[in-house]
Short mmCIF file of all heavy atoms in Angstrom, two decimals:
data_model
loop_
_atom_site.label_atom_id
_atom_site.label_comp_id
_atom_site.label_asym_id
_atom_site.label_seq_id
_atom_site.Cartn_x
_atom_site.Cartn_y
_atom_site.Cartn_z
N LEU A 99 35.68 -109.83 -103.56
CA LEU A 99 35.07 -108.79 -104.39
C LEU A 99 35.22 -107.45 -103.70
O LEU A 99 35.14 -107.36 -102.47
CB LEU A 99 33.61 -109.05 -104.59
CG LEU A 99 33.24 -110.34 -105.35
CD1 LEU A 99 31.76 -110.61 -105.27
CD2 LEU A 99 33.68 -110.19 -106.78
N LYS A 100 35.44 -106.40 -104.48
CA LYS A 100 35.51 -105.05 -103.95
C LYS A 100 34.57 -104.14 -104.75
O LYS A 100 34.47 -104.29 -105.97
CB LYS A 100 36.95 -104.52 -104.04
CG LYS A 100 37.92 -105.26 -103.16
CD LYS A 100 39.27 -104.63 -103.23
CE LYS A 100 40.22 -105.39 -102.33
NZ LYS A 100 41.57 -104.85 -102.36
N ASP A 101 33.92 -103.25 -104.05
CA ASP A 101 33.07 -102.29 -104.73
C ASP A 101 33.90 -101.48 -105.73
O ASP A 101 35.02 -101.13 -105.46
CB ASP A 101 32.42 -101.29 -103.73
CG ASP A 101 31.13 -101.85 -103.12
OD1 ASP A 101 30.43 -102.59 -103.82
OD2 ASP A 101 30.83 -101.50 -101.98
N ASN A 102 33.30 -101.24 -106.89
CA ASN A 102 33.90 -100.44 -107.96
C ASN A 102 35.11 -101.10 -108.63
O ASN A 102 35.78 -100.49 -109.43
CB ASN A 102 34.30 -99.05 -107.47
CG ASN A 102 33.12 -98.28 -107.01
OD1 ASN A 102 32.07 -98.25 -107.69
ND2 ASN A 102 33.20 -97.64 -105.85
N GLU A 103 35.35 -102.38 -108.34
CA GLU A 103 36.43 -103.10 -109.00
C GLU A 103 36.04 -103.41 -110.45
O GLU A 103 34.88 -103.74 -110.71
CB GLU A 103 36.72 -104.41 -108.24
CG GLU A 103 37.84 -105.23 -108.84
CD GLU A 103 38.10 -106.50 -108.04
OE1 GLU A 103 37.37 -106.80 -107.10
OE2 GLU A 103 39.08 -107.19 -108.39
N VAL A 104 36.97 -103.27 -111.37
CA VAL A 104 36.74 -103.63 -112.75
C VAL A 104 37.13 -105.09 -112.94
O VAL A 104 38.23 -105.50 -112.58
CB VAL A 104 37.52 -102.71 -113.71
CG1 VAL A 104 37.38 -103.17 -115.17
CG2 VAL A 104 37.06 -101.27 -113.57
N VAL A 105 36.18 -105.88 -113.48
CA VAL A 105 36.41 -107.29 -113.69
C VAL A 105 36.21 -107.66 -115.15
O VAL A 105 35.53 -106.96 -115.89
CB VAL A 105 35.46 -108.16 -112.81
CG1 VAL A 105 35.73 -107.94 -111.34
CG2 VAL A 105 34.01 -107.87 -113.13
N ALA A 164 33.58 -105.15 -117.04
CA ALA A 164 32.50 -104.49 -116.31
C ALA A 164 33.01 -104.03 -114.95
O ALA A 164 34.04 -104.50 -114.46
CB ALA A 164 31.31 -105.40 -116.14
N ARG A 165 32.24 -103.12 -114.34
CA ARG A 165 32.59 -102.62 -112.99
C ARG A 165 31.52 -103.11 -112.00
O ARG A 165 30.32 -103.10 -112.30
CB ARG A 165 32.61 -101.10 -112.99
CG ARG A 165 33.09 -100.51 -111.66
CD ARG A 165 33.28 -98.99 -111.75
NE ARG A 165 32.05 -98.31 -112.06
CZ ARG A 165 31.09 -97.96 -111.18
NH1 ARG A 165 31.24 -98.29 -109.92
NH2 ARG A 165 30.03 -97.30 -111.56
N ILE A 166 31.97 -103.54 -110.83
CA ILE A 166 31.06 -104.01 -109.79
C ILE A 166 30.43 -102.77 -109.13
O ILE A 166 31.14 -101.87 -108.68
CB ILE A 166 31.81 -104.82 -108.72
CG1 ILE A 166 32.37 -106.09 -109.36
CG2 ILE A 166 30.91 -105.17 -107.54
CD1 ILE A 166 33.28 -106.90 -108.45
N VAL A 167 29.09 -102.74 -109.10
CA VAL A 167 28.38 -101.61 -108.49
C VAL A 167 27.65 -101.98 -107.18
O VAL A 167 27.30 -101.10 -106.42
CB VAL A 167 27.40 -100.92 -109.49
CG1 VAL A 167 28.16 -100.27 -110.60
CG2 VAL A 167 26.40 -101.94 -110.03
N SER A 168 27.40 -103.27 -107.01
CA SER A 168 26.72 -103.69 -105.74
C SER A 168 27.13 -105.13 -105.41
O SER A 168 27.33 -105.94 -106.32
CB SER A 168 25.23 -103.58 -105.84
OG SER A 168 24.71 -104.49 -106.78
N ILE A 169 27.25 -105.38 -104.10
CA ILE A 169 27.64 -106.71 -103.66
C ILE A 169 26.73 -107.10 -102.49
O ILE A 169 26.64 -106.39 -101.50
CB ILE A 169 29.10 -106.74 -103.14
CG1 ILE A 169 30.07 -106.30 -104.24
CG2 ILE A 169 29.46 -108.12 -102.59
CD1 ILE A 169 31.48 -106.12 -103.76
N GLY A 182 25.92 -106.82 -108.69
CA GLY A 182 25.46 -105.94 -109.76
C GLY A 182 26.63 -105.37 -110.55
O GLY A 182 27.66 -104.99 -109.96
N THR A 184 27.99 -102.95 -114.16
CA THR A 184 27.69 -101.95 -115.18
C THR A 184 28.79 -101.94 -116.23
O THR A 184 29.94 -102.26 -115.94
CB THR A 184 27.54 -100.55 -114.58
OG1 THR A 184 27.07 -99.65 -115.62
CG2 THR A 184 28.82 -100.02 -114.01
N GLN A 187 30.31 -97.02 -118.95
CA GLN A 187 31.34 -96.04 -118.67
C GLN A 187 32.44 -96.24 -119.73
O GLN A 187 32.62 -97.33 -120.25
CB GLN A 187 31.92 -96.20 -117.29
CG GLN A 187 30.96 -95.83 -116.22
CD GLN A 187 31.50 -96.15 -114.83
OE1 GLN A 187 32.36 -96.98 -114.64
NE2 GLN A 187 30.96 -95.44 -113.82
N LEU A 190 34.76 -99.62 -120.60
CA LEU A 190 34.04 -100.83 -120.19
C LEU A 190 33.19 -101.30 -121.38
O LEU A 190 32.81 -100.51 -122.21
CB LEU A 190 33.12 -100.56 -119.00
CG LEU A 190 33.79 -100.10 -117.72
CD1 LEU A 190 32.77 -99.86 -116.63
CD2 LEU A 190 34.84 -101.07 -117.25
#
Side-chain angles (χ1 to χ4, degrees):
L99 297 170
K100 293 185 180 179
D101 274 329
N102 298 315
E103 181 178 7
V104 174
V105 295
R165 185 173 61 83
I166 297 173
V167 293
S168 67
I169 302 171
T184 186
Q187 292 175 335
L190 301 179

